[in-house]
Amino acid sequence: MIQRIDLRGTRPTPADLLAAVPRALTSVTVASDVAATLIDDVRARGEAALLDQAERLDRVRPAHVRVPATDIAEAVAGLDPDVRAAIEETIRRVRIASSAQVPPLVTTTIADGAVITQRWQPVSRVGLYVPGGKAVYPSSVVMNVVPAQVAGVTSLALASPPQSDFGGRVHPTILAVAGLLGVHEIYAMGGAGAIGAFAYGVPGLGLDPVQLVTGPGNVYVAAAKRLVRGVTGIDSEAGPTDILVIADAAADPLLVAADLVSQAEHDELAAAVLVTDSVALADAVTLRLAELATTTTHSARVIASLSGRQSAIVLVDDLAAAAAFSNAFGPEHLEIQTEDPQAVLALIDNAGAIFLGPYSPVSLGDYVAGSNHVLPTGGQARFSSGLGAYTFLRPQQVIDYSREALLAVAGHIAALSAAEALPAHGDAVIARFHPDAER
C-alpha cells in the first residue's frame, strides 16, 4: 500500500535529500491557463460570469452570489449546539494564540534627535477563501477570520462555493461560523473566479477589491492566487495537505498509523510520510495502515493517498538523519513521536507546525489547539510560514529626525550620493540648510 525509501548506509547531500523527497506530480502551472480564463471572464462580465461558472463547475446556479443577511442569521440559529460549543472554544483559543503574534511598536533612538519607530500596520481589507469540495471546513473560517481580526483588519469578505445539496447556498455551517464571528459580507462563489473577484472587485455586487487573499483551495485556486499576486497580496499557494512523522522504536505504531490516515483522508494527493530508524516500527505501521485504510469512512481516498508517489515510509540510520530528511521535505505538519521529542526538535528548521509527543496529534492542531491550521504545503515550509496575525500586518519604519540630527549626517549623505552619481539626493539635504530655506 505504501512505498519504502531506504536511505540507511548512505550519506546524502542536501541535494540528494531534496531529490529523494516524495512528491505528487502536481503543479499549479498546469492550471494557470484555465484559471486565467476564469479570472478574465469575471473581470469582463462580473456577476454573470460568477453565476455561469457556478452552474458549470459547481453544478448549481445560486439565487444570489452575495449571501443575504437572512441566510446568515438562519444558519446561526440552526447550528448544532455541540458544533457551536466546539467552534466557540476554538475561536477563544485561536484568539489567545493569535494575540501573541502581534509585535509591539518599538521606538529606537539612533542619536540625539534621530528616532526610528517600527510599527506594524494591518491591511484594511481582506478576502478569505473557504473551500467546499470533498469536505466542509468551518474550522478554516475560524483560522482565517480570527487572526485577521486580532491584527486589526476592519473589512472582511468571505467566499465559499455554492452547494448543490443546499440549493446553491453556501454550506450553512460555513455561514453560521462566519455569522458568529461577525462576518456578514459573504459570497457564494468558488474556484479561480472567486479569487479574481476578490482581486479586481465586482462593482455590480458591491464587492470592492481586497488587499490580501488568504485561505486554501484546489490547484485552480492556487493558480489563481499566483496570477493575481501583484494586484493583491496572497498568503500562500496552498495545495494538498501533508504530514511527516518522525518516530523511533518507542512510538506506538497504532498512533502513528492513525495520524497518517487522518491526513490522507483529505485528498487522494495528500502526502503521508513516516521517517524512522526502526525497521520493526516501519513493519508494524505498515500492518496498521492496511487495517485502518480499509475500515475508515473515506477508504478509497485514503488508499489512493497512501499508495501515491507522495507517501512513503523512509528508513534512516538515526534520528539526526530523520531530522535532515524532514528539513528537506519541509512538512506542513511535523509530528515527533520519539523517546526524547525535545532532542529531535532541536534539529528541526523547516516545518509549518510541529506536534510533540503522542498526545499532540495533528488533529488537535486542525481544531482546538489554539494554533493555526492554515500552513505551507508542498515543501513551502522550507521558506515560508503558516497563517497568523502577522500575515495581515506590514512592518513600517517611521523616520523622525530633527534639524540638528540631519545636519550631523549631511556630509555622509553628500558623499554617498556623489559616489552613486545621484547628486540630487545630496542636494535635497543641502537645500534644507540654505539661507533661503523656510524654517
Side-chain angles (χ1 to χ4, degrees), residues 305-317:
S305 166
L306 296 177
S307 303
R309 60 177 291 143
Q310 72 276 9
S311 298
I313 293 177
V314 182
L315 294 171
V316 292
D317 288 322

Side-chain angles (χ1 to χ4, degrees), residues 13-270:
T13 65
D16 292 335
L17 287 174
L18 285 172
V21 163
R23 297 282 188 217
L25 289 175
T26 59
S27 171
V28 296
T29 57
V30 301
S32 290
D33 288 346
V34 173
T37 298
L38 295 170
I39 291 170
D40 290 345
D41 190 25
V42 171
R43 293 184 69 185
R45 299 194 300 121
E47 182 179 10
L50 291 167
L51 288 168
D52 289 346
Q53 289 176 22
E55 189 169 16
R56 186 170 77 254
L57 302 174
D58 300 306
R59 301 179 305 281
V60 65
R61 192 176 184 90
H64 310 278
V65 174
R66 183 155 182 168
V67 177
T70 52
D71 287 3
I72 302 170
E74 180 183 320
V76 172
L79 186 61
D80 178 272
D82 290 340
V83 175
R84 179 166 183 158
I87 287 293
E88 288 176 340
E89 179 62 12
T90 300
I91 291 170
R92 187 186 74 82
R93 292 180 177 226
V94 173
R95 199 174 297 280
I96 291 171
S98 298
S99 296
Q101 299 167 347
V102 180
L105 182 145
V106 177
T107 299
T108 304
T109 299
I110 306 298
D112 289 344
V115 176
I116 302 291
T117 299
Q118 179 75 60
R119 73 173 189 173
W120 296 80
Q121 196 73 0
V123 295
S124 60
R125 180 162 170 78
V126 173
L128 311 172
Y129 187 78
V130 180
K134 294 182 173 69
V136 181
Y137 294 103
S139 57
S140 285
V141 180
V142 177
M143 300 296 176
N144 280 272
V145 171
V146 171
Q149 291 176 332
V150 167
V153 177
T154 55
S155 178
L156 294 170
L158 186 148
S160 192
Q163 302 292 306
S164 58
D165 290 346
F166 296 96
R169 294 186 179 188
V170 170
H171 195 286
T173 309
I174 301 295
L175 290 181
V177 176
L180 288 174
L181 285 164
V183 178
H184 299 291
E185 185 183 349
I186 305 174
Y187 299 91
M189 58 186 187
I195 305 304
F198 275 152
Y200 294 100
V202 182
L205 289 171
L207 171 53
D208 293 324
V210 303
Q211 292 168 272
L212 179 68
V213 178
T214 72
N218 62 19
V219 67
Y220 296 100
V221 170
K225 290 169 81 173
R226 178 179 291 185
L227 289 167
V228 302
R229 189 172 192 170
V231 176
T232 185
I234 65 170
D235 54 346
S236 66
E237 298 174 9
T241 189
D242 59 72
I243 178 176
L244 186 147
V245 181
I246 295 177
D248 60 14
D252 185 329
L254 174 60
L255 300 186
V256 173
D259 292 350
L260 294 175
V261 168
S262 74
Q263 294 306 295
E265 77 172 341
H266 275 286
D267 192 285
E268 290 85 352
L269 295 176

